[in-house]
Amino acid sequence: QVHLEESGGGVVQPGRSLRLSCPASGFIFSNYALHWVRQAPGKGLEWVAVISHDGSEKYYADSVKGRFTISRDNSKNTLSLQMNSLRAEDTAVYYCARDSVFLGMMGPGDDWGQGTLVTVSS
Amino acid sequence: QSALTQPASVSGSPGQSITISCIGTNSDVGGYNSVSWFQQHPGKAPKLLIYDVNKRPSGVSGRFTGSKSGNTASLTISGLQAEDEADYYCNSYTTLTTWVFGGGTKVTVL
């Protein structure tokens, strides 16, 4: 059974940094791309970033490009999101999600974590 | 990377059919057959209903069907049930190797 569980959320001041983690189990981690998707309180879903199965390709939404870095450690089955220069508008629940296809990048699939809340506030 | 356009709300009576539209551009919905639909109940993670425009993952009810014409994708829910009351989001691949979601549609079962 696929399991993804985000951690690392919390309250942080504007301009500071935070690192989210998403350890995974129940599938061959190194065979799937992984995404971060966020949802501001009471708002819709926003795609944030993707990393390919081997970490060689990374893509970001314009809203986080240059501030956020997605990474993965295939030896530890863990996805990460380093968030720097945080802004109030980054306040959201952050979800990690497995891509829908084996060895490809087709978009978030049916396996998501439960999310971790990041609040950027002074 | 503008969000895809969805109606804010759609409602219907039990047993009826409703359709949610998702309007994009040639750079996303119209350019690729990589449109997905997600259902989200309050406080829960999204659930994949449709991928590749019209494919259903195993376990998803046949009452959910997806389609696309030009820059507009659609999700139809037939035989509306109380449990279908939720938020629905479309998602599309874009030319920039990124993905974009719609703004979301709240479905109310009257």
Side-chain angles (χ1 to χ4, degrees):
Chain A
Q1 183 178 354
V2 174
H3 186 71
L4 301 157
E5 187 166 353
E6 306 87 346
S7 63
V11 180
V12 60
Q13 293 179 328
R16 303 299 290 267
S17 300
L18 203 62
R19 186 177 183 87
L20 305 183
S21 293
C22 178
S25 61
F27 65 101
I28 300 176
F29 187 79
S30 59
N31 283 349
Y32 288 87
L34 295 161
H35 301 257
W36 286 101
V37 176
R38 68 184 181 182
Q39 186 169 33
K43 302 297 184 182
L45 300 172
E46 180 185 13
W47 179 84
V48 173
V50 64
I51 185 168
S52 60
H53 68 97
D54 60 358
S56 63
E57 297 179 67
K58 305 174 185 181
Y59 300 96
Y60 300 90
D62 286 346
S63 57
V64 306
K65 198 176 297 183
R67 300 187 300 122
F68 288 13
T69 301
I70 189 172
S71 62
R72 64 189 298 160
D73 185 337
N74 284 350
S75 68
K76 296 182 179 178
N77 289 3
T78 299
L79 171 71
S80 298
L81 185 68
Q82 177 66 40
M83 303 185 295
N84 298 332
S85 302
L86 282 161
R87 306 166 180 167
E89 54 264 37
D90 295 320
T91 294
V93 173
Y94 284 74
Y95 295 99
C96 58
R98 192 181 75 162
D99 198 274
S100 56
V101 300
F102 175 74
L103 293 181
M105 285 197 291
M106 291 295 290
D110 198 29
D111 297 298
W112 296 56
Q114 286 305 301
T116 187
L117 176 62
V118 173
T119 302
V120 184
S121 173
S122 55
Chain B
Q1 294 177 343
S2 299
L4 306 174
T5 300
Q6 296 181 231
S9 63
V10 173
S11 61
S13 300
Q16 286 187 329
S17 293
I18 61 170
T19 297
I20 303 168
S21 60
C22 171
I23 303 171
T25 68
N26 290 333
S27 297
D28 39 64
V29 174
Y32 306 92
N33 286 325
S34 295
V35 177
S36 302
W37 288 91
F38 292 87
Q39 176 192 61
Q40 187 181 34
H41 287 104
K44 301 293 187 181
K47 170 186 168 64
L48 182 67
L49 295 177
I50 297 288
Y51 67 99
D52 291 353
V53 176
N54 56 14
K55 297 182 174 63
R56 274 189 307 274
S58 60
V60 173
S61 171
R63 298 186 299 105
F64 296 95
T65 58
S67 62
K68 190 185 87 166
S69 178
N71 295 339
T72 301
S74 300
L75 174 71
T76 298
I77 309 174
S78 57
L80 200 61
Q81 300 179 0
E83 67 208 48
D84 299 331
E85 190 159 292
D87 294 324
Y88 292 80
Y89 296 91
C90 59
N91 176 264
S92 175
Y93 175 77
T94 83
T95 53
L96 303 174
T97 315
T98 60
W99 282 262
V100 60
F101 282 95
T105 298
K106 182 177 180 61
V107 168
T108 301
V109 181
L110 302 172

